[in-house]
Amino acid sequence: IDTEIKKGKLLIYPFTFKVSKFLTEVEGSQGLQDETINYSIKLSVPPLSMLRIPISITGTSDKPIIKMGKGFDNANFDKL
């Protein structure tokens, strides 16, 4: 995993790994002092590896905001 610390943030450059049969790509940053997070995840759905579900995680470490796909701004992830 390629990373860099720049202007008080840990930058994570894009990397890919497998979770079960799902190919997953992750990139983003995390504030080292203010604990802000900004991650972008693309989850490939088998057998259609060209179909990728976008997931974003923003906010802070204590109060993350998770959004999935387009149009899911009001999704309630607490019930999952």
Side-chain angles (χ1 to χ4, degrees):
I1 300 173
D2 289 330
T3 61
E4 180 181 6
I5 295 176
K6 193 173 190 178
K7 296 183 181 180
K9 292 192 180 282
L10 173 65
L11 305 175
I12 300 172
Y13 295 103
F15 67 98
T16 304
F17 62 98
K18 268 187 140 178
V19 176
S20 186
K21 294 182 180 181
F22 298 94
L23 191 61
T24 307
E25 182 180 318
V26 177
E27 67 179 302
S29 65
Q30 181 149 353
L32 298 175
Q33 293 182 1
D34 61 6
E35 296 185 10
T36 56
I37 53 178
N38 185 12
Y39 290 104
S40 174
I41 302 167
K42 294 175 187 160
L43 188 64
S44 294
V45 180
L48 308 170
S49 61
M50 297 301 288
L51 177 62
R52 294 186 177 168
I53 299 171
I55 302 169
S56 70
I57 304 173
T58 58
T60 63
S61 298
D62 291 336
K63 293 185 180 184
I65 300 167
I66 302 169
K67 295 182 182 179
M68 185 170 153
K70 294 183 179 180
F72 289 97
D73 292 343
N74 296 322
N76 188 352
F77 289 95
D78 293 333
K79 292 183 179 181
L80 296 178

